[in-house]
Amino acid sequence: MAGNFWQSSHYQQWVLDKQDLIRERQYDLAVLTDEEYQKIFIFFSSIIQTLGEQLKLRMQVIATATVYFKRFYARNSLKCVDPLLLAPTCVFLASKVEEFGVISNSRLISTCQTVVKNKFSYAYTQEFPYRTNHILECEFYLLENLDCCLIVYQPYRPLLQLLGDIGPDDQSLLALAWKVINDSLRTDVCLLYPPFQIAVGCLVIACVIQQRDLKLWFAELNVDSEKILEIIRYVHSLYELWKNHDEKKDIQALLAKMPKPKTQPTR
């Protein structure tokens, strides 16, 4: 996306301080451990991604929807809105903002029903409970909480620029670094760091995995190396968590424990 990131609402309002983020989560973290909280967000990021794939959306749209989701809960407790309602609402809004085109209401609801029934039946024993009016109502609430800051800068473009400098034909490194960026959406890095730094951190991880020695090239980059290391630690922690996380076994208990809205909307 063209434009100046440093003058954008993304940079000025939505690169958050870690301590502020922890403080905003105090209510939820009184009920859930930090690891349980992470697992819930990994699960709903997977729902957003699966919805996006079923609707044939570009990764940019899925990434923007995931960032909206994380931004909302950066300022709100899980008890404010059911994440199962907010997830498709974020997909609905992101598809419009990223100029993919409006997804029809009926198609969105039917896709949600299919995805919950066929892909996430291990988490939900009942069918998807929401209808179009719930999505539209939730969209207004989401817009209000995002303060109408809808333009999200993603790390994909900076990654392509970095790889253009290393070697634009290196498709295997590009594919791996791109996948690491996708994985990073399941951490807090999109809330805490500018996308250029995230791109560098994910590229470092890809180089380590592929045993590529680009230390000299990285040393010449004008970036805050401490911030890059923090991003690498976040993603590494995610991979460590994934190793021992059996989502199909754990998620029902986590969803039961999760803070919930007092009243579920009627159909």
Side-chain angles (χ1 to χ4, degrees):
M1 181 179 294
N4 188 337
F5 170 74
W6 305 108
Q7 294 173 353
S8 69
S9 61
H10 183 153
Y11 177 64
Q12 292 175 358
Q13 291 178 245
W14 286 105
V15 176
L16 307 177
D17 179 79
K18 187 176 180 182
Q19 294 309 312
D20 290 342
L21 199 57
I22 292 168
R23 188 167 57 250
E24 292 285 356
R25 290 175 177 170
Q26 283 311 297
Y27 178 87
D28 290 341
L29 292 178
V31 179
L32 301 161
T33 67
D34 187 58
E35 185 174 300
E36 288 171 336
Y37 188 86
Q38 286 181 58
K39 286 176 178 178
I40 285 169
F41 276 81
I42 289 169
F43 172 72
F44 284 106
S45 295
S46 297
I47 286 186
I48 289 172
Q49 183 164 347
T50 306
L51 279 173
E53 289 168 354
Q54 292 292 312
L55 291 163
K56 307 229 174 346
L57 305 181
R58 289 180 290 109
M59 190 59 217
Q60 178 90 15
V61 184
I62 295 169
T64 295
T66 308
V67 172
Y68 287 168
F69 186 87
K70 295 185 79 69
R71 284 181 179 181
F72 181 88
Y73 289 113
R75 298 269 167 88
N76 296 279
S77 164
L78 288 160
K79 71 172 183 172
C80 292
V81 174
D82 182 357
L84 187 60
L85 172 59
L86 191 71
T89 306
C90 291
V91 171
F92 186 59
L93 181 58
S95 70
K96 292 186 278 188
V97 172
E98 292 292 346
E99 299 179 352
F100 178 83
V102 180
I103 303 162
S104 76
N105 297 332
S106 58
R107 183 168 171 235
L108 179 64
I109 296 298
S110 65
T111 304
C112 289
Q113 291 169 337
T114 303
V115 163
V116 167
K117 183 179 177 181
N118 295 342
K119 306 278 187 181
F120 295 97
S121 57
Y122 61 86
Y124 295 104
T125 53
Q126 296 177 322
E127 67 176 39
F128 182 73
Y130 299 104
R131 297 295 176 262
T132 301
N133 60 310
H134 302 131
I135 300 277
L136 297 176
E137 185 181 335
C138 187
E139 185 183 30
F140 277 109
Y141 193 42
L142 174 62
L143 283 164
E144 183 185 351
N145 277 270
L146 294 176
D147 201 19
C148 293
C149 300
L150 303 180
I151 303 301
V152 178
Y153 286 74
Q154 300 287 358
Y156 304 108
R157 183 185 288 260
L159 175 67
L160 293 172
Q161 292 167 340
L162 289 165
L163 278 163
D165 195 25
I166 295 172
D169 297 328
D170 200 334
Q171 292 302 309
S172 66
L173 187 59
L174 169 62
L176 182 56
W178 193 284
K179 182 181 180 302
V180 177
I181 288 175
N182 293 346
D183 292 342
S184 78
L185 289 164
R186 286 157 169 76
T187 74
D188 287 335
V189 297
C190 63
L191 298 173
L192 300 172
Y193 304 95
F196 177 78
Q197 292 179 344
I198 297 171
V200 174
C202 292
L203 183 54
V204 171
I205 292 169
C207 286
V208 170
I209 292 170
Q210 289 199 347
Q211 299 181 318
R212 302 283 292 278
D213 186 2
L214 292 173
K215 288 194 191 75
L216 288 175
W217 183 83
F218 281 117
E220 291 173 2
L221 285 178
N222 183 23
V223 290
D224 184 335
S225 57
E226 189 53 46
K227 292 278 175 62
I228 303 303
L229 282 171
E230 287 171 12
I231 291 164
I232 291 168
R233 286 189 203 108
Y234 268 103
V235 178
H236 181 261
S237 296
L238 171 73
Y239 291 154
E240 288 299 307
L241 181 65
W242 261 339
K243 278 183 188 174
N244 305 310
H245 178 31
D246 185 347
E247 186 174 88
K248 291 191 175 181
K249 191 176 79 175
D250 298 343
I251 196 63
Q252 276 198 358
L254 287 175
L255 293 175
K257 187 178 178 184
M258 179 182 79
K260 296 175 188 64
K262 282 192 170 66
T263 55
Q264 296 294 329
T266 54
R267 292 185 190 177

